[in-house]
Structures are given as C-alpha cells and as structure tokens.
C-alpha cells in the first residue's frame, strides 16, 4: 500500500553540522522532518536532551501516535577531544560520553518504537564513527572511541531484535566532516556526508540490517 503522506523523519541533534545537513536533504526531497536539539535555536526544533529520561519521555508524549518512518540517532559528544591521557581519569567525562553516545541512543530508540511501528518500512540509523572500530584502534580519544564502539554493538544487537518487527537498522561512519567537531580541515562538507548517509539509509533491507557502513557505501571493519 503506498504512503498517503510525506515520509516522516526524526533526527536528533538536527540544529547544526551533520544533523542539519541530513535534515536539509530530506526536506529537499519532500519529507516531513522532525528535528531535535538539546537547546533549540529555531521554532521548528523540538527540545530533546537524550541523556535525560524525562526529556526523552516528553518528546515521545508530544509525538503521541504520530508515525515515524526513519529515526536518525545523530546527537553525540566528544568529551575528550584534545585532552591528554593524564586528564582522562575524570569519571564525569566518561559518564557524559556514554550517557549521550550510547544510553541516549537506546533511550531514544526505545521511547519511539511505538511511532516506528506505525511507520512505513521503518528504519533506524545510528551515526557512529570509524573511531568506534575495534579493528582500527590507533590510540587516543578513549572516551569517544569506547562510546562509539559501544554504539556499534548496541545497534547490531537492536537490529537482530527488531528485524522480526520489520524495523531495520544501520550504523554509519559519516566521514571526517567539516563541522565544529571535525574541524575546518576535515575531508568532506556536511552536504556530501548527508547525501551519502541518506542514500545508505534508503538502501537498508532486512538482509543488510545491523550493518556498519561508511557514508559512501563501503563496509566498515568492526
């Protein structure tokens, strides 16, 4: 049965960088975009702090039984960026990294499962990083790497459990992108990354659910 409404896409962390670029890609294609931000700076953004259960529950209550076809878990932090090994025994930094990059992803997916179940060919995308690869371990950035590796593991296990409900899930490395996090010297512009990610998400199937891929369609080593 064809969808008699625009494609509905929810993107966390949609106020800047990769999230904003993905939102623009979907809007340009005629989709209905539900963007969130921890501190919304535009009237079309919903407030969402993925580390706060009350905030996640409030978003779910606002959406009520609204169908979601695509959920993109993009919100993330890099709490140890530029920090030396001697600065990292601070438990608060570890707690922030995992609360945002791992627990926040799970809380968001779990809270919005009723909406995804109402969607058409529902799919979930988790934006991780090549730095979450245990195979390509080049040292440093321990909090970010560990939390992004956990996000890959979380995504693969969720994919296994949700495929029976016709919900598919992919985990993606967005590339080294010219954002506040990636820096101006990064390889690609946000629009290029977003175009690739939207293409990869559209290609998800039950056979490829649980994949870890790059923005340009290459399988990434775990």
């Amino acid at each position: 049965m064809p969808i008699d409404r625009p494609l509905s896409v929810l993107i966390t962390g949609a106020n800047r960088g990769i999230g904003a670029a993905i939102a623009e890609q979907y809007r340009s294609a005629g989709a209905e975009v539900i963007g969130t931000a921890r501190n919304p700076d535009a009237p079309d953004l919903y407030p969402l702090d993925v580390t706060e259960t009350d905030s996640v529950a409030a978003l779910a209550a606002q959406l009520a039984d609204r169908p979601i076809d695509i959920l993109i878990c993009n919100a993330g932090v890099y709490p140890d960026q530029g920090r030396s090994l001697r600065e990292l025994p601070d438990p608060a930094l570890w707690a922030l990294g995992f609360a945002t990059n791992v627990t926040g992803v799970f809380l968001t997916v779990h809270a919005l499962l009723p909406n995804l179940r109402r969607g058409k060919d529902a799919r979930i995308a988790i934006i991780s990083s090549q730095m979450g690869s245990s195979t390509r371990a080049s040292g440093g950035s321990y909090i970010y790497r560990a939390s992004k590796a956990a996000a890959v593991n979380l995504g693969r296990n969720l994919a296994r459990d949700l495929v029976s409900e016709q919900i598919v899930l992919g985990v993606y490395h967005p590339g080294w992108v010219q954002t506040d996090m990636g820096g101006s010297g990064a390889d690609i512009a946000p629009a290029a990354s977003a175009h690739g990610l939207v293409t990869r998400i559209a290609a998800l199937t039950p056979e490829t659910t649980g994949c870890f891929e790059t923005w340009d369609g290459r399988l990434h080593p775990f």
Side-chain angles (χ1 to χ4, degrees), residues 93-144:
L93 289 178
W94 288 87
L96 174 62
F98 275 80
T100 307
N101 298 344
V102 188
T103 310
V105 171
F106 178 80
L107 292 176
T108 303
V109 170
H110 188 269
L112 299 181
L113 274 177
N115 307 84
L116 287 161
R117 290 178 180 127
R118 290 176 174 272
K120 175 68 173 177
D121 297 326
R123 51 201 64 211
I124 300 167
I126 297 174
I127 307 303
S128 181
S129 169
Q130 66 181 2
M131 293 172 72
S133 169
S134 297
T135 302
R136 295 184 177 179
S138 56
S141 300
Y142 304 105
I143 298 172
Y144 188 72

Side-chain angles (χ1 to χ4, degrees), residues 65-82:
D65 58 359
R66 187 170 173 179
I68 294 174
D69 304 306
I70 300 173
L71 169 62
I72 301 175
C73 296
N74 167 72
V77 295
Y78 191 168
D80 51 335
Q81 187 171 24

Side-chain angles (χ1 to χ4, degrees), residues 4 26 31 33 55 57 75 117 135 144 146 174 212-213 215 220:
D4 58 358
Y26 279 113
V33 174
S55 180
R117 290 178 180 127
T135 302
Y144 188 72
F212 183 23
E213 295 180 340
W215 65 280
H220 202 290

Side-chain angles (χ1 to χ4, degrees), residues 12-63:
T12 67
N15 57 317
R16 61 181 181 175
I18 297 169
I22 294 172
E24 180 56 33
Q25 291 276 336
Y26 279 113
R27 287 194 187 99
S28 296
E32 178 184 60
V33 174
I34 305 164
T36 79
R38 186 169 50 190
N39 298 300
D41 54 5
D44 60 340
L45 291 171
Y46 286 73
L48 175 66
D49 184 338
V50 299
T51 70
E52 298 289 343
T53 54
D54 288 348
S55 180
V56 177
L59 175 65
Q62 279 184 285
L63 295 174

